[in-house]
Amino acid sequence: MATPGYLRYPHVHGDLLTFVTEDDVWLAPAEGGRAWRLTSDGGQAGNPRFSPDGATIAWTSWRDGGIPEVYTAEIEDGTGGTGGTGGPATRRTYWGDLRTRTTGWTDAGEVLATSAVDQPSSTRTHAYAVPLDAPPRRLPFGQVNDLALTAAGTALLTGQRGDL
């Protein structure tokens, strides 16, 4: 986890920006303005990513027991006069692996994550699709450290001994 600071892990969708600061996930207008907190649960957060339709954010959180897991919450952009709100956070994985990290979404609305769950070594991270209504499934890419899937192509990042 990086040293706490401002505007860590930024991600943009349309006219909204999400980022981590003060160990929480925040949202703000991309053109600037007042930000609002999506999470406030006392755990570290990282890697927030908008769903393809911009209605949900997935992120990595250390809120339950200090082990990273994948969480999601529906969002409202805050322009409707409510000041911005988020739905309750839903835990999507129960891997108990220190290398778990949210990396993005599939076009089908599944969260993409990497983890070394069920591996003989913590450096052997694999990619997973985490549907919002079914158990996660391992993707057939072999060992990867980071992953992006789009309609135009797939980007896999790997490194020696699990290091980029």
Side-chain angles (χ1 to χ4, degrees):
M1 194 74 207
T3 304
Y6 285 88
L7 290 171
R8 294 178 301 144
Y9 314 109
H11 191 239
V12 176
H13 183 276
D15 60 354
L16 276 180
L17 167 72
T18 185
F19 57 94
V20 171
T21 192
E22 299 174 356
D23 287 331
D24 288 311
V25 178
W26 290 72
L27 295 161
E31 71 275 1
R34 186 179 177 112
W36 62 95
R37 192 184 309 252
L38 182 69
T39 66
S40 181
D41 54 24
Q44 289 180 314
N47 304 96
R49 297 292 180 257
F50 285 103
S51 62
D53 64 4
T56 306
I57 291 186
W59 70 95
T60 309
S61 178
W62 285 252
R63 70 185 260 184
D64 294 323
I67 303 291
E69 299 290 352
V70 175
Y71 287 78
T72 63
E74 292 184 8
I75 61 167
E76 181 179 304
D77 69 11
T79 61
T82 64
T85 60
T90 302
R91 184 173 174 175
R92 299 296 177 178
T93 61
Y94 293 83
W95 291 330
D97 175 56
L98 290 172
R99 299 279 300 216
T100 296
R101 186 168 57 85
T102 302
T103 65
W105 291 78
T106 67
D107 287 338
E110 300 170 307
V111 180
L112 290 172
T114 57
S115 180
V117 64
D118 296 332
Q119 294 301 305
S121 168
S122 66
T123 62
R124 294 181 176 262
T125 55
H126 289 264
Y128 292 83
V130 183
L132 301 184
D133 59 357
R137 70 179 187 289
R138 189 165 140 184
L139 298 174
F141 300 126
Q143 185 176 344
V144 300
N145 290 334
D146 207 348
L147 169 72
L149 293 175
T150 67
T154 300
L156 304 172
L157 301 175
T158 62
Q160 292 183 332
R161 297 184 313 270
D163 299 328
L164 286 174

